Amino acid sequence: VHQKTRKMRFALLGSLLLGLGQALTVMPPLSKTAEHLPLAHKAMAFFDSSSDPFFAVQTSIDMLLEAGFEELDDMQPYSGKVVPGGRYFYTRNKSTLVAFAVGEDYKPGQGGFKVIGGHTDSPNLRVKPRSKRSAKAAQAIQIGVECYGGGLWHTWFDRDLGVCGRVFVRSKSGAIQQKLVKIDRAILRVSNLAIHLQSAEERKGFSPNKEDHLSPILATAATRSLSQTEGSNDSAEEKEGKKNDEEGKEGTTKDGWTEYQEPLLISLLASELQLNITDIVDFELSLFDIQKAALGGVHSGKYFISNLGNCWILLMSPFRVCSFWPV
């Protein structure tokens, strides 16, 4: 019985190997990694530029315009503007993008359509509407952040963080305008405690508190004090902060918004956008890892990136099928 079972097993194994051999003979040859590197580098450039929903949409718009798409005004009728063979897009809230192409042979009331959708956002740390967190006597100047989405929050520790998003500013005419801002340098950090300040049990069961442990450090009280001494080599944002102090002492403005914001952060935004501090009326800001995307592995077959999303696939797949995309 055992001998018979063993023969059956060998026969089955032989059949499987024969089938595998036949399958291998008809499989297409594997492509070389180098053939896909240009596309991979374009993808990495897209991810590096798309640090939040607003920049993801703007980067996508730039690519659509390059591919010959026409922007539509979502507040105006499309009648007479959308024609067979045309390529169009429109946006909502600067964070949502809709793009579509009309077939050359399209006839109203006939045929169908294909839809592909995704998201422009991803889990991250967002600056709270009231960004001020640190008391005047605090040794470290922190800003208040909140967790957006279901992130792996322990991975945000000990990273070089920048800030990006949109800022609402008041123009000379009094109208409110939106401006994108991206500070792509290490201005913030969520730091771990030094190893000798933690017990073995604490290191083993690391579980950060979202409210207490994830607030990033913007500056220290010592460096802020030193930057305000006479004759110091002030940065642009520090000079802007001093100008604000002269025009109206820090923290004395009470309009229901300004007094709840971290002055150093507002000064930094004003400096980056070349505005007066008093022009800023609100913001939507996110933190992001400033480390750039890279190809990893011995054969460069992997993406090493912190904010990998599906926007790139959404842009590339349908347009390459329609032969629109300049790849």
Side-chain angles (χ1 to χ4, degrees):
V1 176
H2 290 297
Q3 239 178 0
K4 188 175 181 181
T5 304
R6 189 177 302 166
K7 288 181 180 180
M8 291 176 63
R9 287 176 178 172
F10 277 119
L12 179 60
L13 179 61
S15 299
L16 290 173
L17 290 175
L18 180 61
L20 179 61
Q22 292 174 345
L24 289 174
T25 58
V26 297
M27 284 181 63
L30 296 176
S31 60
K32 297 180 180 179
T33 304
E35 297 174 6
H36 303 288
L37 287 181
L39 182 60
H41 285 297
K42 287 187 177 183
M44 290 191 296
F46 177 86
F47 293 134
D48 288 339
S49 299
S50 306
S51 48
D52 77 342
F54 306 114
F55 277 93
V57 167
Q58 185 57 53
T59 303
S60 301
I61 288 174
D62 294 340
M63 295 176 69
L64 290 170
L65 291 173
E66 182 184 352
F69 280 68
E70 178 184 347
E71 184 172 7
L72 298 173
D73 185 349
D74 191 38
M75 304 303 293
Q76 299 295 328
Y78 295 165
S79 178
K81 297 181 179 179
V82 178
V83 298
R87 314 166 196 174
Y88 310 95
F89 71 90
Y90 65 88
T91 64
R92 287 272 182 92
N93 191 41
K94 301 295 185 181
S95 60
T96 300
L97 174 66
V98 177
F100 61 96
V102 184
E104 295 280 357
D105 299 326
Y106 170 76
K107 295 181 180 179
Q110 299 181 16
F113 55 87
K114 296 180 180 179
V115 177
I116 181 172
H119 58 88
T120 58
D121 61 346
S122 59
N124 65 2
L125 296 179
R126 294 195 172 182
V127 180
K128 287 184 175 181
R130 296 186 174 189
S131 62
K132 183 184 288 185
R133 175 179 172 85
S134 304
K136 286 187 177 181
Q139 296 302 306
I141 310 303
Q142 297 175 287
I143 60 172
V145 297
E146 57 189 353
C147 297
Y148 175 82
L152 299 174
W153 305 120
H154 65 278
T155 64
W156 285 79
F157 282 77
D158 295 333
R159 289 184 179 270
D160 295 334
L161 302 175
V163 66
C164 65
R166 63 178 174 181
V167 178
F168 297 90
V169 301
R170 183 179 289 106
S171 65
K172 293 182 179 179
S173 65
I176 303 300
Q177 299 176 339
Q178 300 181 34
K179 291 184 177 293
L180 293 182
V181 62
K182 185 174 185 179
I183 303 175
D184 197 3
R185 63 181 190 272
I187 62 169
L188 294 162
R189 195 173 185 88
V190 182
S191 296
N192 262 306
L193 279 176
I195 189 171
H196 57 275
L197 297 179
Q198 302 180 63
S199 66
E201 289 299 318
E202 288 173 330
R203 294 195 297 272
K204 184 178 179 181
F206 179 64
S207 56
N209 181 287
K210 294 180 182 179
E211 287 295 325
D212 296 334
H213 301 148
L214 285 172
S215 295
I217 297 173
L218 181 64
T220 63
T223 54
R224 182 171 67 172
S225 298
L226 287 172
S227 69
Q228 293 174 352
T229 59
E230 293 296 330
S232 61
N233 296 321
D234 297 332
S235 63
E237 56 267 21
E238 288 164 346
K239 290 178 180 178
E240 185 66 28
K242 285 187 177 182
K243 179 181 177 183
N244 182 53
D245 289 343
E246 293 171 359
E247 295 176 351
K249 292 298 182 181
E250 178 183 359
T252 59
T253 304
K254 295 186 182 297
D255 55 12
W257 185 81
T258 306
E259 64 266 33
Y260 298 109
Q261 306 306 327
E262 172 51 51
L264 282 178
L265 176 63
I266 301 301
S267 296
L268 179 61
L269 294 174
S271 175
E272 288 290 324
L273 296 172
Q274 299 182 347
L275 299 168
N276 293 322
I277 291 177
T278 53
D279 293 336
I280 299 176
V281 297
D282 204 353
F283 55 68
E284 289 185 58
L285 300 174
S286 298
L287 275 57
F288 69 98
D289 186 354
I290 67 171
Q291 183 174 338
K292 304 302 182 185
L295 291 175
V298 67
H299 297 298
S300 299
K302 297 179 181 295
Y303 280 129
F304 289 166
I305 186 170
S306 61
N307 63 334
L308 182 62
N310 57 15
C311 289
W312 173 254
I313 302 300
L314 297 180
L315 280 171
M316 294 301 295
S317 298
F319 300 134
R320 290 194 72 187
V321 170
C322 297
S323 301
F324 289 162
W325 209 257
V327 177

